[in-house]
Amino acid sequence: MELYLQTLANGISLGSLYALIAIGYTMVYGILRLINFAHADLLMVAGYIAFYGIMVFALPWWFSFLIAIALTALLGVSIEKIAYRPLRNAPRISVLISAIGVSFLLENLGIVAIGARPKSFPRPEELVWNIKLGDISFLSLTVIIPIVTLLLLVAVTYMVNKTKTGTAMRAVSRDFETASLMAVDVNKVVSTTFLVGSSLAAVGGILYSLQYPQIDPLMGVFPGLKCFIAAVMGGIGSIPGAMLGGFILGMGEVFLVAFMPELSGYRDAFAFVILIFILLFKPTGILGENVVEKV
Amino acid sequence: MLKIEDLHVYYGGIHALKGITMEVPENKIVTLVGANGAGKSTTLRAISSLVQPTQGKITFHGEDITKTKTADIVKKGITLVPEGRRIFANLTVLENINMGAFARNDKDGIKKDIQRIYEMFPRLKEREWQAAGTLSGGEQQMLAIGRALMSRPAVLMMDEPSLGLAPLLVKEVFRIIKEIYSQGMTILLIEQNATAALQVADYGYVLETGNIVLQGPGKELAANDEVKRAYLGKA
Ligand SMILES: Nc1ncnc2c1ncn2[C@@H]1O[C@H](COP(=O)(O)OP(=O)(O)O)[C@@H](O)[C@H]1O
Ligand SMILES: [Mg+2]
């Protein structure tokens, strides 16, 4: 029973983390029909900025985290401006290659500038402590991560569905040209999308660094891939889908490791097996777009 | 009020508009007729800056708007109801209507205008919360027109609003065009239904492979033998 509860808590925690990161993939895909490979590396960038803020500049952790989020968001917006926008009318494969290029650039820049050796991420004691509940004990993060995530998911859902900016985002994701005929500045809307997605990735990257306090220039690759798979599983382009996919994947991974420890070596493969099944049996994902359209 | 001088548009190697000069005076209905591929849509798309002309000039109230961005053209008062309606299928009917008012900030004015649109198109009110993609073709056209009116345009451009609609609905579309016009709107209308369009229009232009080959008051053109033979399918 304890093991079950503990695993459930861990699953929720990892699942919400995946959900947070998966939203960035799905939002960018929804608007540009682009798999933003560089999204994964934003986790790493946020982790390093937070690390340097605390360890080198001796900033309070919360301030360092805020700066990390702001700079990562700025980087995400700049990547779109520099690497994707000039290719707006190019074949989609060109933009995809550009995205892979940016991803490699960030990773190798990290290796060259910072070094490939992992650094240990600081865990502020106000944020990370041990909670004992009867026989089970767990890290405060197990509770903090889902709460932070939940708040952000609610905020994003509200923004996209209820605000003017969010409505414009959905309109642009459907039809750039007609949105511009509504006096929408399409470039601004695309930038906002990257701003939101990258901020969430930054929060995800920081929480991930706290949870697994070893950061290195390639740390974003696996969680990034998994969150991309989560987004595909939920139905890429769908925000609730990305949340659902993230939870299922995180939960599945944790349960796999807990209850079939002999398979724990395949922990990372789990996501790919799911991806293959999804692509085979429901390529549009669980909540994939299904708007009826009459002509 | 809206003037086009010697407009040339290319799509790669295709010379789609070969020097078009035309004018839309205030408070008139002007129509552009011509066969498929003549360049009608291209003309409207050039006015909205959805395509860039290589030569020529577009002015609005005397101001050069040839290179103005699409969103700013809408803000200046020229709105296009695009070919094929192009409603946002994933948005609700009300959200579509609100998108039309994107550049506006006068909450009360917007509310009033939405009421006006609903009076003009009661079907839209009934379907306010429905995804627009679930509307019928006729309802989608009403939505596209209503959405465009929400920007409070000075000039309303419509690209084949009756395309693909049942005859009864085509009549309804023309009734609406006349109603909007009677409220003081300036209209630039494209129609494949040339007879009906020339009947309502104050002035008409006949377009043929990127050139204006004939022009004149609507009813005169409708009576012109050459036009009848070529576009109205009558001998
Ligand atoms: N996006 C495009 N790319 C290439 N050629 C185009 C494009 N749009 C229109 N054309 C060509 O330009 C010409 C005029 O088209 P259009 O303005 O759509 O005509 P109309 O609206 O009168 O039917 C046609 O020969 C058409 O094939
Ligand atoms: Mg056309």
Side-chain angles (χ1 to χ4, degrees):
Chain A
M1 190 62 195
E2 279 88 43
L3 177 66
Y4 185 77
L5 277 180
Q6 180 109 41
T7 310
L8 189 68
N10 288 342
I12 291 175
S13 177
L14 186 66
S16 56
L17 203 50
Y18 283 172
L20 202 58
I21 301 163
I23 287 179
Y25 281 105
T26 226
M27 281 181 96
V28 167
Y29 185 86
I31 220 151
L32 293 182
R33 304 291 180 269
L34 164 73
I35 297 156
N36 181 16
F37 282 101
H39 192 67
D41 302 297
L42 296 181
L43 307 185
M44 173 270 289
V45 171
Y48 272 104
I49 297 175
F51 172 87
Y52 280 106
I54 295 173
M55 303 304 284
V56 177
F57 295 98
L59 299 172
W61 59 268
W62 56 270
F63 191 58
S64 177
F65 288 0
L66 283 182
I67 290 184
I69 295 167
L71 291 181
T72 306
L74 195 69
L75 176 66
V77 171
S78 313
I79 289 172
E80 186 273 325
K81 270 195 183 149
I82 296 165
Y84 306 156
R85 192 172 298 178
L87 297 169
R88 187 78 53 84
N89 296 317
R92 241 191 278 167
I93 187 78
S94 314
V95 198
L96 200 65
I97 291 168
S98 185
I100 294 171
V102 172
S103 176
F104 281 0
L105 178 72
L106 290 175
E107 286 162 17
N108 289 294
L109 217 59
I111 291 172
V112 172
I114 301 166
R117 241 193 20 218
K119 294 189 188 319
S120 78
F121 194 81
R123 281 178 151 177
E125 51 191 41
E126 295 95 327
L127 219 50
V128 188
W129 71 91
N130 258 307
I131 299 176
K132 265 195 182 324
L133 268 184
D135 283 342
I136 51 174
S137 87
F138 49 91
L139 272 186
S140 55
L141 284 174
T142 316
V143 182
I144 291 174
I145 291 176
I147 291 176
V148 171
T149 306
L150 192 69
L151 291 176
L152 289 173
L153 297 189
V154 169
V156 170
T157 305
Y158 177 84
M159 198 274 283
V160 170
N161 290 309
K162 297 284 176 231
T163 66
K164 198 170 167 179
T165 310
T167 313
M169 270 181 191
R170 285 178 291 136
V172 169
S173 79
R174 186 78 201 183
D175 186 342
F176 267 52
E177 205 174 85
T178 308
S180 73
L181 285 173
M182 307 290 121
V184 173
D185 183 339
V186 171
N187 283 332
K188 216 164 111 186
V189 171
V190 172
S191 289
T192 310
T193 306
F194 274 82
L195 187 80
V196 173
S198 309
S199 305
L200 296 182
V203 176
I206 292 168
L207 293 176
Y208 196 85
S209 305
L210 285 167
Q211 178 77 28
Y212 307 100
Q214 287 264 323
I215 61 173
D216 69 83
L218 299 180
M219 67 177 261
V221 175
F222 263 103
L225 264 175
K226 286 179 194 168
C227 293
F228 164 62
I229 291 171
V232 172
M233 172 158 64
I236 193 138
S238 155
I239 291 178
M243 297 178 187
L244 187 65
F247 271 103
I248 294 177
L249 204 62
M251 202 71 93
E253 191 181 315
V254 169
F255 271 85
L256 181 82
V257 175
F259 292 101
M260 290 180 256
E262 67 279 9
L263 290 180
S264 65
Y266 294 100
R267 168 179 198 149
D268 291 333
F270 174 67
F272 294 95
V273 172
I274 287 200
L275 177 67
I276 291 167
F277 273 97
I278 286 282
L279 291 180
L280 281 178
F281 296 109
K282 193 151 191 326
T284 52
I286 301 168
L287 301 178
E289 238 176 87
N290 255 333
V291 186
V292 195
E293 232 174 311
K294 295 183 187 166
V295 185
Chain B
M1 136 157 108
L2 178 64
K3 273 189 185 156
I4 295 168
E5 288 164 62
D6 191 31
L7 200 69
H8 290 259
V9 173
Y10 286 85
Y11 294 107
I14 301 171
H15 199 174
L17 291 185
K18 303 167 182 162
I20 281 188
T21 299
M22 59 181 286
E23 192 176 344
V24 183
E26 194 151 1
N27 225 325
K28 298 275 187 241
I29 300 184
V30 172
T31 188
L32 208 54
V33 298
N36 248 335
K40 305 182 297 293
S41 297
T42 303
T43 308
L44 298 201
R45 294 169 61 78
I47 296 172
S48 282
S49 274
L50 293 174
V51 290
Q52 270 306 309
T54 47
Q55 193 184 320
K57 197 166 144 186
I58 303 165
T59 56
F60 183 55
H61 290 306
E63 184 193 354
D64 189 343
I65 56 162
T66 319
K67 292 205 158 58
T68 309
K69 280 200 294 183
T70 304
D72 295 323
I73 294 209
V74 179
K75 288 180 195 160
K76 286 182 191 298
I78 306 176
T79 295
L80 171 64
V81 182
E83 188 170 13
R85 335 195 216 288
R86 307 276 285 265
I87 49 118
F88 301 111
N90 56 335
L91 270 52
T92 65
V93 169
L94 181 59
E95 282 172 338
N96 267 275
I97 293 175
N98 272 316
M99 280 307 295
F102 189 79
R104 292 170 61 182
N105 286 312
D106 56 323
K107 270 198 172 160
D108 294 338
I110 292 176
K111 247 189 201 155
K112 265 187 211 148
D113 285 355
I114 293 178
Q115 287 318 312
R116 259 190 48 217
I117 303 288
Y118 282 162
E119 277 161 32
M120 203 184 285
F121 308 114
R123 307 273 289 181
L124 295 185
K125 181 162 175 59
E126 288 164 27
R127 286 161 173 66
E128 199 173 40
W129 303 109
Q130 232 167 280
T134 63
L135 297 184
S136 72
E139 290 161 351
Q140 289 191 5
Q141 187 61 61
M142 305 304 161
L143 179 56
I145 295 172
R147 182 180 66 178
L149 289 174
M150 286 304 293
S151 69
R152 288 217 170 150
V155 180
L156 184 66
M157 305 193 290
M158 292 191 247
D159 194 340
E160 307 215 18
S162 71
L163 188 69
L165 299 185
L168 215 63
L169 282 169
V170 174
K171 260 197 178 151
E172 175 68 5
V173 165
F174 276 97
R175 187 190 64 73
I176 288 157
I177 292 172
K178 277 187 253 178
E179 182 181 334
I180 295 169
Y181 168 67
S182 70
Q183 290 167 3
M185 184 74 67
T186 305
I187 294 175
L188 176 51
L189 173 69
I190 291 184
E191 260 302 328
Q192 99 275 29
N193 191 338
T195 326
L198 289 170
Q199 285 302 332
V200 299
D202 295 292
Y203 202 82
Y205 293 88
V206 179
L207 210 55
E208 207 175 282
T209 56
N211 288 302
I212 289 173
V213 292
L214 269 174
Q215 56 178 289
K219 298 214 165 75
E220 244 170 64
L221 279 185
N224 181 302
D225 284 341
E226 210 176 318
V227 175
K228 273 187 188 165
R229 219 178 10 258
Y231 304 105
L232 306 182
K234 294 175 197 158

